[in-house]
Amino acid sequence: MLTIIGLLSTTFGVSVASALLPLISVELFAVGLVLKEPSIPWWVLALVIATGQIGGKLLHFYAARGAIRLPKFLHRKKKREDPEAKGRWKTWLESFRENCRNRPVWAGAVLLVSALASLPPFAAVAIVAGWAKVPVTTFLITGFVGRFARFGALAAAPTAMAAWL
């Protein structure tokens, strides 16, 4: 029992780390864990990973909102940009922000699809959602449901494939 608790604690840590640093793949870790320790129920693994992922993404969300101050070394240096390129990007972001305000169901759907399929990447959507002032409850609920479904399917896949074959 202690081994499973230790594995789940490590899984939580890896899921938070992968939420903060996209170079870490919690998907590969989860598949390896399921293959090594098939006694862990898929839903427990999905719950732990989804919780860690949302916890990590919440830091991105709040940083984009301006509620968390980033260390100075993470700030971009101001440089001259093409005014036309900046205008297109700013126009798109403003349009996204307005859509989030005026169409909360649309904002929730974008968050849910991104959390489930990672298209568009959930890391980017978490940042833009924070900047667009999407309600925290919308971010938490849709993000958690999407991440739980994603990692639940991933955790159940090896067992389902073994039973199918």
Side-chain angles (χ1 to χ4, degrees):
M1 187 66 176
L2 183 60
T3 306
I4 290 178
I5 291 172
L7 288 172
L8 291 176
S9 298
T10 302
T11 302
F12 180 78
V14 169
S15 66
V16 171
S18 74
L20 296 172
L21 303 168
L23 296 175
I24 298 171
S25 175
V26 72
E27 286 87 355
L28 289 176
F29 181 86
V31 169
L33 182 61
V34 168
L35 293 174
K36 181 187 179 321
E37 193 63 54
S39 63
I40 299 175
W42 67 267
W43 62 270
V44 172
L45 192 58
L47 183 70
V48 168
I49 294 173
T51 303
Q53 282 273 297
I54 292 302
K57 298 297 183 201
L58 201 54
L59 292 174
H60 288 291
F61 180 86
Y62 277 126
R65 224 174 223 208
I68 295 175
R69 285 198 111 205
L70 296 174
K72 207 167 192 126
F73 72 90
L74 289 176
H75 289 253
R76 282 189 167 177
K77 296 199 178 10
K78 299 225 179 193
K79 55 182 176 178
R80 281 196 110 103
E81 294 182 18
D82 177 16
E84 188 176 313
K86 186 176 180 182
R88 282 188 304 233
W89 183 243
K90 188 173 181 177
T91 301
W92 182 86
L93 284 172
E94 287 296 333
S95 171
F96 185 83
R97 180 185 270 183
E98 284 304 310
N99 278 333
C100 288
R101 276 194 204 125
N102 298 332
R103 300 164 58 193
V105 173
W106 176 85
V110 168
L111 282 165
L112 182 64
V113 167
S114 178
L116 179 63
S118 283
L119 289 171
F122 191 52
V125 171
I127 292 167
V128 174
W131 177 83
K133 306 265 191 269
V134 169
V136 176
T137 53
T138 301
F139 177 76
L140 288 174
I141 292 168
T142 57
F144 183 81
V145 168
R147 289 275 121 170
F148 180 82
R150 176 184 178 87
F151 292 108
L154 186 71
T159 305
M161 288 300 289
W164 185 59
L165 297 175

PDB file of all heavy atoms in Angstrom, residues 115-127:
ATOM      1  N   ALA A 115      -8.362  20.982 -23.081  1.00  0.00           N
ATOM      2  CA  ALA A 115      -7.937  20.133 -21.962  1.00  0.00           C
ATOM      3  C   ALA A 115      -8.026  18.656 -22.331  1.00  0.00           C
ATOM      4  O   ALA A 115      -7.196  17.857 -21.905  1.00  0.00           O
ATOM      5  CB  ALA A 115      -8.798  20.413 -20.732  1.00  0.00           C
ATOM      6  N   LEU A 116      -8.994  18.301 -23.144  1.00  0.00           N
ATOM      7  CA  LEU A 116      -9.192  16.907 -23.535  1.00  0.00           C
ATOM      8  C   LEU A 116      -8.219  16.482 -24.633  1.00  0.00           C
ATOM      9  O   LEU A 116      -7.540  15.464 -24.526  1.00  0.00           O
ATOM     10  CB  LEU A 116     -10.632  16.702 -24.005  1.00  0.00           C
ATOM     11  CG  LEU A 116     -11.017  15.305 -24.481  1.00  0.00           C
ATOM     12  CD1 LEU A 116     -10.900  14.312 -23.345  1.00  0.00           C
ATOM     13  CD2 LEU A 116     -12.432  15.317 -25.023  1.00  0.00           C
ATOM     14  N   ALA A 117      -8.126  17.277 -25.687  1.00  0.00           N
ATOM     15  CA  ALA A 117      -7.359  16.867 -26.867  1.00  0.00           C
ATOM     16  C   ALA A 117      -6.001  17.558 -26.989  1.00  0.00           C
ATOM     17  O   ALA A 117      -5.201  17.179 -27.826  1.00  0.00           O
ATOM     18  CB  ALA A 117      -8.183  17.154 -28.119  1.00  0.00           C
ATOM     19  N   SER A 118      -5.776  18.581 -26.195  1.00  0.00           N
ATOM     20  CA  SER A 118      -4.570  19.411 -26.285  1.00  0.00           C
ATOM     21  C   SER A 118      -4.420  20.068 -27.653  1.00  0.00           C
ATOM     22  O   SER A 118      -3.328  20.332 -28.112  1.00  0.00           O
ATOM     23  CB  SER A 118      -3.312  18.622 -25.942  1.00  0.00           C
ATOM     24  OG  SER A 118      -3.240  18.476 -24.541  1.00  0.00           O
ATOM     25  N   LEU A 119      -5.528  20.329 -28.296  1.00  0.00           N
ATOM     26  CA  LEU A 119      -5.562  21.091 -29.537  1.00  0.00           C
ATOM     27  C   LEU A 119      -6.621  22.173 -29.401  1.00  0.00           C
ATOM     28  O   LEU A 119      -7.799  21.837 -29.342  1.00  0.00           O
ATOM     29  CB  LEU A 119      -5.891  20.206 -30.732  1.00  0.00           C
ATOM     30  CG  LEU A 119      -4.798  19.248 -31.149  1.00  0.00           C
ATOM     31  CD1 LEU A 119      -5.299  18.285 -32.196  1.00  0.00           C
ATOM     32  CD2 LEU A 119      -3.567  19.978 -31.643  1.00  0.00           C
ATOM     33  N   PRO A 120      -6.305  23.396 -29.326  1.00  0.00           N
ATOM     34  CA  PRO A 120      -4.966  23.964 -29.242  1.00  0.00           C
ATOM     35  C   PRO A 120      -4.312  23.564 -27.911  1.00  0.00           C
ATOM     36  O   PRO A 120      -5.000  23.166 -26.980  1.00  0.00           O
ATOM     37  CB  PRO A 120      -5.199  25.473 -29.313  1.00  0.00           C
ATOM     38  CG  PRO A 120      -6.610  25.686 -28.897  1.00  0.00           C
ATOM     39  CD  PRO A 120      -7.346  24.427 -29.247  1.00  0.00           C
ATOM     40  N   PRO A 121      -2.990  23.666 -27.841  1.00  0.00           N
ATOM     41  CA  PRO A 121      -2.285  23.221 -26.625  1.00  0.00           C
ATOM     42  C   PRO A 121      -2.867  23.856 -25.356  1.00  0.00           C
ATOM     43  O   PRO A 121      -3.077  25.062 -25.303  1.00  0.00           O
ATOM     44  CB  PRO A 121      -0.846  23.677 -26.861  1.00  0.00           C
ATOM     45  CG  PRO A 121      -0.715  23.789 -28.336  1.00  0.00           C
ATOM     46  CD  PRO A 121      -2.070  24.204 -28.836  1.00  0.00           C
ATOM     47  N   PHE A 122      -3.123  22.998 -24.380  1.00  0.00           N
ATOM     48  CA  PHE A 122      -3.757  23.468 -23.147  1.00  0.00           C
ATOM     49  C   PHE A 122      -2.889  24.478 -22.407  1.00  0.00           C
ATOM     50  O   PHE A 122      -3.418  25.377 -21.761  1.00  0.00           O
ATOM     51  CB  PHE A 122      -4.110  22.278 -22.248  1.00  0.00           C
ATOM     52  CG  PHE A 122      -5.000  22.640 -21.095  1.00  0.00           C
ATOM     53  CD1 PHE A 122      -6.188  23.328 -21.287  1.00  0.00           C
ATOM     54  CD2 PHE A 122      -4.656  22.290 -19.805  1.00  0.00           C
ATOM     55  CE1 PHE A 122      -7.011  23.659 -20.227  1.00  0.00           C
ATOM     56  CE2 PHE A 122      -5.462  22.616 -18.728  1.00  0.00           C
ATOM     57  CZ  PHE A 122      -6.649  23.304 -18.944  1.00  0.00           C
ATOM     58  N   ALA A 123      -1.575  24.365 -22.517  1.00  0.00           N
ATOM     59  CA  ALA A 123      -0.690  25.341 -21.865  1.00  0.00           C
ATOM     60  C   ALA A 123      -0.951  26.739 -22.414  1.00  0.00           C
ATOM     61  O   ALA A 123      -1.053  27.704 -21.662  1.00  0.00           O
ATOM     62  CB  ALA A 123       0.768  24.956 -22.060  1.00  0.00           C
ATOM     63  N   ALA A 124      -1.068  26.853 -23.728  1.00  0.00           N
ATOM     64  CA  ALA A 124      -1.323  28.154 -24.348  1.00  0.00           C
ATOM     65  C   ALA A 124      -2.726  28.648 -24.013  1.00  0.00           C
ATOM     66  O   ALA A 124      -2.927  29.830 -23.716  1.00  0.00           O
ATOM     67  CB  ALA A 124      -1.141  28.059 -25.862  1.00  0.00           C
ATOM     68  N   VAL A 125      -3.696  27.753 -24.045  1.00  0.00           N
ATOM     69  CA  VAL A 125      -5.077  28.149 -23.751  1.00  0.00           C
ATOM     70  C   VAL A 125      -5.206  28.596 -22.300  1.00  0.00           C
ATOM     71  O   VAL A 125      -5.937  29.543 -22.003  1.00  0.00           O
ATOM     72  CB  VAL A 125      -6.052  26.997 -24.090  1.00  0.00           C
ATOM     73  CG1 VAL A 125      -7.454  27.295 -23.599  1.00  0.00           C
ATOM     74  CG2 VAL A 125      -6.068  26.768 -25.592  1.00  0.00           C
ATOM     75  N   ALA A 126      -4.495  27.955 -21.384  1.00  0.00           N
ATOM     76  CA  ALA A 126      -4.536  28.365 -19.973  1.00  0.00           C
ATOM     77  C   ALA A 126      -4.022  29.795 -19.818  1.00  0.00           C
ATOM     78  O   ALA A 126      -4.593  30.595 -19.074  1.00  0.00           O
ATOM     79  CB  ALA A 126      -3.711  27.408 -19.114  1.00  0.00           C
ATOM     80  N   ILE A 127      -2.958  30.117 -20.530  1.00  0.00           N
ATOM     81  CA  ILE A 127      -2.398  31.471 -20.455  1.00  0.00           C
ATOM     82  C   ILE A 127      -3.357  32.482 -21.058  1.00  0.00           C
ATOM     83  O   ILE A 127      -3.658  33.518 -20.455  1.00  0.00           O
ATOM     84  CB  ILE A 127      -1.026  31.511 -21.158  1.00  0.00           C
ATOM     85  CG1 ILE A 127      -0.019  30.700 -20.352  1.00  0.00           C
ATOM     86  CG2 ILE A 127      -0.534  32.947 -21.347  1.00  0.00           C
ATOM     87  CD1 ILE A 127       1.272  30.400 -21.077  1.00  0.00           C
TER      88      ILE A 127
END
